[in-house]
Every structure is written in C-alpha cells, then in structure tokens.
Amino acid sequence: MTVNRIGLVVHTGRPTAVAAAAAVREWCAEHAVACSDIDVWREGERHNARAEVDAAHDPDLIVTLGGDGTFLRGARLAAESNALILGVNLGRVGFLTEVPAPTVGTALDAVLEGRFSVESRMLLTLRTSCRLEVPKHMEPLVRYGRGPLLPPPRVRMECETSDDWGVAMNVTALNDVVLERLTREHQVSVGVYIAGQLLACYSADALMVATPTGSTAYSFAAGGPVVSPRAEGLLFTPVAPHMAFNRSVLAASDEPIALRVLERSGPAAVSIDGQVRGLLSPGDWIGVYAASRRLRVVRLGPMGFYARLRKRMNLTDAPAAVADGGATPLWPVTTPPPGDLAHLALPTRPRDTGHSPS
C-alpha cells in the first residue's frame, strides 16, 4: 500500500510526544509524504470523526503519539476513513501501541517499504431507542479531562429505523461501550439481553460490553478475563453488581447485547471508549453489536500479545515452577513449524525489523 499522507494525533501534554511528532514531520519532509496534524480539540471544541479526517485531507496512515488513550482517539478516526493506524508508545501501559518513540523513523521506513502486516481488530457499534446526547445543563456533571465533550453521535441515515430496532448510531468502539451510573447514591438497574434472550436484571455501578481488544482495559479492572485480540466475540462484564452472579459472559460475535434501563433505575450515561456520549432515562435502551467495519492496525513484527501481557502486567513466575533454578525455555523456535502445525498461529522465526516492538 502506498502512503501519501500521514495524519498525526499527538498527546500535546507530553513533551516526549511533541518531540516525537516533530521527528515524524521531519521524516515526512525527507520522504515527500504529506503530513497533517489532527487536533481533536481544534478551536476550543470537539468535532466528529468525519469532520476531523476531512480537515486532515483523509490520510492513508494515522500515527498516534501518546499512550493507549491517544491511540483510541486515533482509532476513532482510522475507523471512519478505513485508514491504517500505527501507535507510538509514550504512555504508561501501551497495550495498543506498537513502537517506542526512539524508533519511529525506522518504523515509518518499514511502512513505506511495505515491510509490515495489517492486523484486523473487531469494533463495536450500537443502536439506541433514542438519539444520544448530553443536555447542556448536564455537561458540567459528566465532563472530565482536559477538553470539551464530543458532539452527539451522528445517525446512520442509510439504516432503517423503527420502534423495535431503534436508531443506528454512526459510532465505533475499539475497547468498550459502558452504561454507568451518574450519581453515587443511585446505581443503574438494567435488564441485560444476549441474542434477544434475557440474561438477568442487574443493579450495578456499570454494565459494559467490550471487544477482545478491550478485555485488558476497564473490563479487566472489573474482574473480567483476558481475551486474545485474535478472538471474535462480545464480552459482557458487570461492575460491582448487587447480586451473586458477578461473572463476565463471552457472547459470539453475531450475538448482540442489549441493555435496557429499568423503571426505578438511577440516571445512566453511555460511554464509548471512555467518552460520555449520551444520557439515558428509564425505558431507554442500547443494543451493542459487532460493526461491519474493522480497525486496520500496522504491525511490524510478530503480534507479541502475550509477551506484551507478561511485560505490562509485570507477571512473574511461580517460585515452585522455577525452584530448580533452570532458565525459562525460549520461544519462538528457530525452525519452521512442521506441516501438520502450519495452519496454527504459532511464533515465527525472529527477523530483524530494525526495532523492538513494545
């Protein structure tokens, strides 16, 4: 794929990210690649993804410079325009980002020369019983962070609308869609339906539907399982529910999950990848399902998800497992897998890509 224009999403609160962005612009100038900054807080207000990528002249590749939060902002733009996305890690966790800042030039060289693979990540979208919005008088209550709220989600006008099936929102989530309480004194009471069947009615701090990618984010903090991003499915996780059944449920990728606010529930907010996008009243509902579009993530070497999991979570070996003092066996192996294993997702032989993936 030819990369003619790069869009930059920069965490301007980090000096290291600002310096890395300058290095990307210099690289673009040297290689005759156009470069546009995508300022998600341009002119003191937020814009929808379509307006932002249009202002950046529809880049082929979006490069994020920051942590996972910056990557999520870039993912919203990349999903809108079907662009590739490359994450440069300058954050504290870095589950989503691919390369460390000092090697960004080498990474861009690899992309320009076609020495990369594209990893397809599942996205979520949703239908709602009513349009999502945050009333002006409620904005101070739900606003947080350094910038204003995103505008109300757009409606997908090409989709059929009805009382039964609701309104299709033109939004995507890489991590999760969350229905959460607004006030401390009132939990949200929600009926949860999977594939059209009632699972249970919950009273909880929040109910979330996550992708496999999002399993290591909020869902993990709430006690949910770690799911390989290669998997396909929707992960439902309750947060602090007042009931004995507090387990996550992994639904198939074609099984939508609906959350209906019950009559005596407290006020509820809908958050998409950590951004509050609307408020719901009793009787309102959202239906979360796999989006038809996918996020296309640049990978410069083997996926390394489990190595990243071990590193980011500071996993250590059980003393009993290493009591004999022997070294941990190393993998990947240096020979190709035998024919009967060739169809499996096994480690490949190491190759010199010029950088060390995070």
Side-chain angles (χ1 to χ4, degrees):
M1 174 182 175
T2 302
V3 176
N4 296 312
R5 179 177 295 275
I6 289 176
L8 291 181
V9 179
V10 186
H11 191 313
T12 55
R14 297 180 185 271
T16 51
V18 174
V24 173
R25 295 188 196 97
E26 183 178 345
W27 182 94
C28 289
E30 292 175 355
H31 293 81
V33 174
C35 184
S36 300
D37 283 82
I38 305 177
D39 182 0
V40 296
W41 285 286
R42 185 174 57 254
E43 300 167 0
E45 61 182 6
R46 303 291 296 275
H47 298 263
N48 64 52
R50 185 71 260 167
E52 288 171 349
V53 296
D54 284 348
H57 308 291
D58 231 357
D60 309 299
L61 172 68
I62 290 177
V63 177
T64 69
L65 300 117
D68 284 350
T70 307
F71 187 91
L72 288 173
R73 291 196 290 274
R76 185 171 63 90
L77 308 174
E80 175 70 27
S81 59
N82 198 35
L84 295 170
I85 184 168
L86 174 67
V88 179
N89 184 28
L90 295 122
R92 295 184 295 271
V93 181
F95 258 111
L96 301 174
T97 49
E98 171 73 356
V99 298
T103 64
V104 64
T106 304
L108 291 173
D109 287 339
V111 172
L112 190 64
E113 296 164 9
R115 294 184 286 109
F116 68 95
S117 59
V118 176
E119 181 180 297
S120 176
R121 292 285 183 106
M122 178 183 181
L123 296 168
L124 299 176
T125 190
L126 66 157
R127 282 179 174 255
T128 62
S129 57
C130 57
R131 294 197 180 201
L132 291 178
E133 61 180 356
V134 178
K136 287 292 185 182
H137 70 279
M138 295 291 287
E139 285 191 10
L141 180 64
V142 300
R143 181 184 297 169
Y144 57 91
R146 68 186 181 93
L149 295 175
L150 282 165
R154 293 169 294 153
V155 174
R156 293 178 58 192
M157 303 306 296
E158 76 279 9
C159 295
E160 182 180 346
T161 297
S162 70
D163 291 341
D164 284 342
W165 299 104
V167 181
M169 295 286 101
N170 191 3
V171 293
T172 56
L174 176 60
N175 268 355
D176 47 48
V177 176
V178 180
L179 191 60
E180 56 192 331
R181 69 179 184 177
L182 273 179
T183 58
R184 185 175 182 181
E185 66 269 21
H186 291 293
Q187 290 192 312
V188 288
S189 296
V190 178
V192 178
Y193 301 78
I194 299 181
Q197 301 294 312
L198 177 65
L199 174 68
C201 292
Y202 290 79
S203 183
D205 285 358
L207 295 309
M208 80 181 76
V209 182
T211 63
T213 296
S215 71
T216 51
Y218 189 11
S219 179
F220 177 83
V226 173
V227 181
S228 168
R230 290 175 54 88
E232 295 288 316
L234 280 67
L235 180 62
F236 165 72
T237 301
V239 181
H242 275 229
M243 61 188 297
F245 184 74
N246 61 356
R247 303 298 191 216
S248 298
V249 177
L250 181 62
S253 58
D254 61 351
E255 295 179 326
I257 298 178
L259 309 175
R260 181 183 294 275
V261 184
L262 301 180
E263 180 181 356
R264 297 185 181 277
S265 174
V270 179
S271 294
I272 301 173
D273 278 347
Q275 301 286 322
V276 176
R277 304 302 302 274
L279 304 183
L280 297 185
S281 301
D284 292 336
W285 56 265
I286 60 173
V288 184
Y289 54 99
S292 58
R293 69 183 78 169
R294 310 276 295 194
L295 185 69
R296 301 194 301 145
V297 183
V298 170
R299 290 301 184 200
L300 302 176
M303 179 182 175
F305 170 72
Y306 299 106
R308 192 176 295 120
L309 178 67
R310 177 181 174 89
K311 179 179 179 181
R312 299 299 186 237
M313 296 298 181
N314 293 316
L315 301 183
T316 56
D317 303 317
V322 293
D324 59 2
T328 303
L330 297 179
W331 214 344
V333 292
T334 57
T335 57
D340 62 311
L341 302 180
H343 64 292
L344 301 180
L346 292 171
T348 57
R349 286 180 290 177
R351 58 176 178 165
D352 182 11
T353 59
H355 80 287
S356 299
S358 61

